[in-house]
Amino acid sequence: MTNPTRVPSGINPNVPNAARMYDYYLGGKDNFAADREAAEKIMALGPSRQICLANRWFLGRAVRFIANQGIRQFIDLGTGLPNQNNVHQVARQVHPNAPVVYVDHDPVVIVHARALLADVNGNTAFAHADIRDPGSILDHPDVEQLIDFSQPVGVVFLGVLHCLTDEEDPYRVVRAFADRMAPGSYLIVSHLTDDAHPEVGVAAREVYDKADTPLIHRSHERIARLFDGFDVVEPGVVHVADWRPEEPREEDPVGSEWWYVGVARKP
């Protein structure tokens, strides 16, 4: 994406973008010079690639777990750029026809999600919407077509709620979905924290302050509050490598302390 003639409409390649930075951490090519420069500053602070990979591996474990509990339909909020172990790929190992709706508002993600879905057979959709406006998602035509809220659903907030400021109120956003979810539904959350490295957290936030999306680290206590009204499954809200690890590990869980994750069931 270094050729300016290929820049999709509505994208400013001179402003770092969180999704493209994430892509760069994972060794992808869908990024610009501004993204790489900002990402290198973050990578100088710690093992960013391993931190991001740990989050992706958690997604696979969590989706597989709730699919094995009987969840057959999924909403992935703040999808980000396509990578390995996308929700539909994992869920359909258990339920081959599981409906999946991906949601994002980022124009970069829109372009790549459409390319991804072009090769996916049915029961998968991409909704262009912003999680700051939950109603626009819950009432989106693609969501209404594929998701039956009278039945249990898996709702995934993977690495997205830390992009919402306190004024944008991530608790309000989660509650809006919780209110619509049927009993027996599951919530999956991963959220960045700087509990173990507060000084590094300050430096990281300064980098993201110049990007198009902020970075809001939250404490264990504040992240655990996102599950209010749900029954959190064992082992609770924990560091990412400690959530039902599988052996052998793909890599050592370096940087696990940067993530708190959890899975919970609506009673």
Side-chain angles (χ1 to χ4, degrees):
M1 289 185 64
T2 57
N3 183 347
T5 63
R6 299 177 59 194
V7 178
S9 176
I11 294 175
N12 184 349
N14 299 313
V15 176
N17 169 272
R20 298 193 305 259
M21 290 170 64
Y22 193 88
D23 174 73
Y24 183 69
Y25 298 145
L26 295 176
K29 299 179 180 179
D30 297 308
N31 46 72
F32 298 110
D35 309 310
R36 295 189 288 274
E37 181 179 353
E40 288 288 350
K41 293 178 181 178
I42 295 294
M43 293 170 73
L45 299 173
S48 299
R49 178 175 183 271
Q50 292 92 332
I51 291 169
C52 293
L53 283 172
N55 193 42
R56 296 300 299 183
W57 294 331
F58 163 71
L59 174 67
R61 299 196 304 275
V63 169
R64 191 176 303 110
F65 170 79
I66 68 172
N68 282 322
Q69 305 309 304
I71 298 300
R72 297 173 175 269
Q73 52 180 353
F74 299 81
I75 303 176
D76 183 359
L77 298 157
T79 302
L81 287 167
N83 205 285
Q84 296 180 352
N85 289 329
N86 294 296
V87 171
H88 72 277
Q89 294 168 321
V90 178
R92 290 177 185 170
Q93 293 172 7
V94 182
H95 305 296
N97 297 313
V100 178
V101 178
Y102 293 104
V103 180
D104 210 294
H105 77 291
D106 191 312
V108 175
V109 174
I110 295 168
V111 171
H112 289 273
R114 286 173 178 164
L116 170 71
L117 297 185
D119 296 326
V120 177
N121 294 325
N123 271 10
T124 309
F126 177 79
H128 181 203
D130 193 328
I131 66 168
R132 295 171 181 84
D133 181 9
S136 69
I137 299 170
L138 292 165
D139 298 328
H140 193 284
D142 289 333
V143 175
E144 291 184 334
Q145 179 178 357
L146 287 181
I147 303 299
D148 178 2
F149 283 104
S150 71
Q151 299 298 316
V153 59
V155 177
V156 180
F157 289 95
L158 190 83
V160 64
L161 293 172
H162 54 239
C163 297
L164 301 187
T165 65
D166 289 345
E167 291 73 22
E168 291 165 334
D169 196 353
Y171 306 102
R172 169 189 61 86
V173 173
V174 174
R175 283 196 305 271
F177 285 91
D179 288 346
R180 189 73 67 91
M181 295 160 67
S185 295
Y186 278 83
L187 177 69
I188 296 174
V189 174
S190 69
H191 194 301
L192 283 170
T193 183
D194 65 350
D195 278 0
H197 307 286
E199 293 183 359
V200 178
V202 170
R205 290 192 295 275
E206 289 176 351
V207 175
Y208 276 87
D209 284 345
K210 299 177 182 177
D212 65 350
T213 303
L215 173 60
I216 312 296
H217 295 107
R218 292 186 170 92
S219 66
H220 181 273
E221 179 183 3
R222 297 183 70 195
I223 294 168
R225 280 179 50 207
L226 294 165
F227 296 97
D228 284 355
F230 286 80
D231 295 330
V232 181
V233 304
E234 293 295 333
V237 180
V238 296
H239 289 140
V240 64
D242 296 328
W243 198 89
R244 298 177 181 253
E246 297 174 348
E247 299 294 345
R249 295 185 190 273
E250 292 88 341
E251 290 186 17
D252 292 336
V254 177
S256 173
E257 70 274 14
W258 282 100
W259 292 104
Y260 284 123
V261 304
V263 176
R265 183 180 185 274
K266 183 175 179 177

